[in-house]
Amino acid sequence: CVCISAGALLILAAIVALAVALGLRPWAPGWYHKTSNNRTGFLCDDRAACIPASQVCDRASNCRNGEDEQEMLCGDWPHSLPGYLVFRCSNSKYWIYADKRCNGMNDCGDCSDEMGTACPLCGSDWWSCSPVLYEYCSCIPRRLCRDGIQHCQDWSDEYVCTP
Ligand SMILES: [Ca+2]
Ligand SMILES: [Ca+2]
Protein backbone atom coordinates (compact mmCIF):
# COMPACT_ATOMS: atom_id res chain seq x y z
CA CYS A 1 0.00 0.00 0.00
CA VAL A 2 2.80 2.43 0.91
CA CYS A 3 4.55 1.43 -2.28
CA ILE A 4 1.51 2.26 -4.40
CA SER A 5 1.06 5.58 -2.60
CA ALA A 6 4.68 6.52 -3.26
CA GLY A 7 4.26 5.58 -6.91
CA ALA A 8 1.06 7.58 -7.18
CA LEU A 9 2.76 10.54 -5.53
CA LEU A 10 5.63 10.32 -8.00
CA ILE A 11 3.21 10.26 -10.92
CA LEU A 12 1.30 13.20 -9.42
CA ALA A 13 4.55 15.09 -8.94
CA ALA A 14 5.51 14.38 -12.55
CA ILE A 15 2.12 15.62 -13.78
CA VAL A 16 2.43 18.79 -11.70
CA ALA A 17 6.00 19.34 -12.94
CA LEU A 18 4.85 18.88 -16.54
CA ALA A 19 1.94 21.27 -16.06
CA VAL A 20 4.27 23.86 -14.55
CA ALA A 21 6.72 23.37 -17.39
CA LEU A 22 3.96 23.71 -19.98
CA GLY A 23 2.52 26.64 -18.09
CA LEU A 24 5.82 28.42 -18.41
CA ARG A 25 6.02 27.77 -22.14
CA PRO A 26 3.66 30.49 -23.44
CA TRP A 27 5.55 33.50 -24.63
CA ALA A 28 5.32 36.69 -22.66
CA PRO A 29 3.13 39.12 -24.58
CA GLY A 30 4.97 42.07 -25.98
CA TRP A 31 8.14 40.19 -26.75
CA TYR A 32 7.27 39.92 -30.40
CA HIS A 33 6.83 42.80 -32.61
CA LYS A 34 6.14 44.02 -36.09
CA THR A 35 9.17 45.90 -37.32
CA SER A 36 8.89 49.29 -38.97
CA ASN A 37 8.98 47.70 -42.44
CA ASN A 38 6.02 45.50 -41.40
CA ARG A 39 8.11 42.37 -41.01
CA THR A 40 7.60 40.23 -37.97
CA GLY A 41 10.65 40.43 -35.80
CA PHE A 42 11.91 39.62 -32.34
CA LEU A 43 11.92 42.44 -29.84
CA CYS A 44 15.04 42.39 -27.69
CA ASP A 45 14.79 42.93 -23.95
CA ASP A 46 15.92 46.54 -24.33
CA ARG A 47 12.58 47.06 -26.14
CA ALA A 48 14.39 49.09 -28.78
CA ALA A 49 16.12 46.60 -31.07
CA CYS A 50 13.81 44.46 -33.20
CA ILE A 51 15.79 41.85 -35.09
CA PRO A 52 14.65 39.86 -38.16
CA ALA A 53 13.06 36.47 -37.44
CA SER A 54 15.90 34.61 -39.15
CA GLN A 55 18.38 35.97 -36.62
CA VAL A 56 16.61 34.12 -33.80
CA CYS A 57 18.37 30.84 -32.91
CA ASP A 58 21.07 31.30 -35.55
CA ARG A 59 23.78 30.79 -32.91
CA ALA A 60 24.85 34.41 -33.11
CA SER A 61 23.79 36.85 -30.42
CA ASN A 62 22.01 39.71 -32.12
CA CYS A 63 20.32 41.19 -29.06
CA ARG A 64 22.67 42.92 -26.66
CA ASN A 65 22.20 40.28 -23.96
CA GLY A 66 21.81 37.34 -26.33
CA GLU A 67 18.15 36.74 -25.51
CA ASP A 68 17.54 35.78 -29.15
CA GLU A 69 19.53 32.61 -28.48
CA GLN A 70 18.01 31.67 -25.12
CA GLU A 71 17.11 28.09 -24.26
CA MET A 72 13.38 28.83 -24.01
CA LEU A 73 13.32 29.92 -27.66
CA CYS A 74 15.86 27.59 -29.15
CA GLY A 75 15.89 24.54 -26.86
CA ASP A 76 13.46 22.57 -29.01
CA TRP A 77 14.10 24.36 -32.31
CA PRO A 78 12.12 24.79 -34.50
CA HIS A 79 9.11 23.74 -32.36
CA SER A 80 10.04 26.15 -29.59
CA LEU A 81 9.99 29.13 -31.96
CA PRO A 82 6.84 31.23 -31.54
CA GLY A 83 4.42 31.19 -34.47
CA TYR A 84 5.10 34.87 -35.15
CA LEU A 85 8.56 34.05 -36.41
CA VAL A 86 7.57 31.16 -38.65
CA PHE A 87 5.79 30.82 -41.99
CA ARG A 88 4.42 27.41 -42.93
CA CYS A 89 4.89 26.49 -46.58
CA SER A 90 2.11 24.87 -48.64
CA ASN A 91 3.87 21.60 -47.98
CA SER A 92 3.40 21.55 -44.23
CA LYS A 93 6.62 19.59 -43.78
CA TYR A 94 8.49 22.77 -44.57
CA TRP A 95 8.69 26.06 -42.77
CA ILE A 96 10.72 29.23 -43.19
CA TYR A 97 11.48 32.20 -41.00
CA ALA A 98 8.76 34.83 -41.36
CA ASP A 99 11.16 37.40 -42.85
CA LYS A 100 11.80 35.10 -45.81
CA ARG A 101 8.22 35.54 -46.95
CA CYS A 102 7.75 37.89 -49.90
CA ASN A 103 11.48 38.55 -50.25
CA GLY A 104 11.57 37.46 -53.91
CA MET A 105 13.43 34.25 -53.15
CA ASN A 106 11.93 30.79 -53.36
CA ASP A 107 12.62 29.73 -49.78
CA CYS A 108 9.83 27.13 -49.52
CA GLY A 109 10.93 25.40 -52.71
CA ASP A 110 7.41 25.58 -54.17
CA CYS A 111 7.17 29.40 -54.15
CA SER A 112 4.30 29.26 -51.64
CA ASP A 113 6.19 31.88 -49.60
CA GLU A 114 6.05 34.27 -52.56
CA MET A 115 2.37 33.84 -53.45
CA GLY A 116 -0.76 35.61 -52.30
CA THR A 117 -1.85 39.18 -51.93
CA ALA A 118 0.52 39.69 -48.98
CA CYS A 119 3.41 39.75 -51.42
CA PRO A 120 3.86 42.85 -53.57
CA LEU A 121 4.45 42.60 -57.31
CA CYS A 122 8.02 42.77 -58.54
CA GLY A 123 9.64 45.89 -57.12
CA SER A 124 11.73 48.30 -59.14
CA ASP A 125 14.87 46.28 -58.44
CA TRP A 126 13.26 43.20 -60.00
CA TRP A 127 12.35 42.08 -63.50
CA SER A 128 9.06 40.23 -64.01
CA CYS A 129 9.33 36.96 -65.96
CA SER A 130 9.11 33.20 -65.48
CA PRO A 131 12.51 32.38 -64.05
CA VAL A 132 14.39 29.30 -65.20
CA LEU A 133 16.12 28.85 -61.86
CA TYR A 134 14.30 27.45 -58.84
CA GLU A 135 15.70 30.10 -56.53
CA TYR A 136 13.30 32.76 -57.90
CA CYS A 137 9.53 32.71 -58.37
CA SER A 138 8.00 35.40 -60.58
CA CYS A 139 10.77 37.97 -60.82
CA ILE A 140 14.54 38.02 -60.95
CA PRO A 141 16.86 40.66 -59.53
CA ARG A 142 17.65 43.28 -62.18
CA ARG A 143 21.36 42.89 -61.55
CA LEU A 144 21.07 39.59 -63.43
CA CYS A 145 19.80 41.31 -66.57
CA ARG A 146 22.18 41.29 -69.54
CA ASP A 147 24.81 39.32 -67.69
CA GLY A 148 25.10 36.81 -70.53
CA ILE A 149 23.25 34.07 -68.65
CA GLN A 150 19.61 33.11 -69.24
CA HIS A 151 17.46 33.63 -66.14
CA CYS A 152 14.01 34.00 -67.79
CA GLN A 153 12.26 31.37 -69.86
CA ASP A 154 11.61 33.93 -72.61
CA TRP A 155 15.18 35.31 -72.49
CA SER A 156 13.70 38.75 -71.71
CA ASP A 157 16.41 39.22 -69.10
CA GLU A 158 19.01 39.25 -71.84
CA TYR A 159 17.11 41.14 -74.55
CA VAL A 160 14.52 43.44 -72.94
CA CYS A 161 15.41 44.11 -69.32
CA THR A 162 18.05 46.65 -68.35
CA PRO A 163 19.97 46.31 -65.09
CA1 LIG B 1 20.76 35.39 -33.28
CA1 LIG C 1 10.94 33.87 -49.93
Side-chain angles (χ1 to χ4, degrees):
C1 193
V2 170
C3 217
I4 292 166
S5 295
L9 268 178
L10 268 178
I11 291 168
L12 190 68
I15 290 171
V16 168
L18 189 69
V20 167
L22 289 175
L24 292 173
R25 282 296 285 276
W27 312 103
W31 275 15
Y32 309 103
H33 206 58
K34 290 265 183 198
T35 57
S36 53
N37 63 356
N38 208 23
R39 298 275 178 172
T40 305
F42 177 82
L43 189 62
C44 297
D45 283 354
D46 64 5
R47 303 214 159 247
C50 185
I51 64 169
S54 55
Q55 289 184 355
V56 176
C57 304
D58 67 346
R59 297 182 184 194
S61 288
N62 301 93
C63 291
R64 198 162 12 147
N65 297 320
E67 57 268 28
D68 54 309
E69 302 299 317
Q70 64 187 298
E71 174 73 17
M72 194 163 61
L73 276 173
C74 311
D76 187 25
W77 186 94
H79 308 289
S80 48
L81 286 172
Y84 295 89
L85 300 180
V86 170
F87 173 77
R88 292 248 160 231
C89 302
S90 283
N91 181 339
S92 56
K93 281 187 196 155
Y94 299 109
W95 67 278
I96 58 169
Y97 278 109
D99 58 330
K100 301 291 180 188
R101 177 150 165 73
C102 303
N103 67 348
M105 306 297 291
N106 180 12
D107 295 286
C108 279
D110 60 3
C111 283
S112 54
D113 54 313
E114 298 299 316
M115 288 190 236
T117 49
C119 297
L121 300 170
C122 300
S124 56
D125 292 338
W126 296 76
W127 174 252
S128 174
C129 72
S130 292
V132 293
L133 297 174
Y134 71 91
E135 62 188 304
Y136 304 109
C137 291
S138 55
C139 342
I140 62 158
R142 271 186 187 267
R143 62 183 161 75
L144 300 178
C145 292
R146 299 193 194 242
D147 67 348
I149 300 166
Q150 181 192 15
H151 289 91
C152 297
Q153 270 176 22
D154 61 3
W155 286 92
S156 60
D157 57 309
E158 293 303 307
Y159 293 101
V160 186
C161 168
T162 48

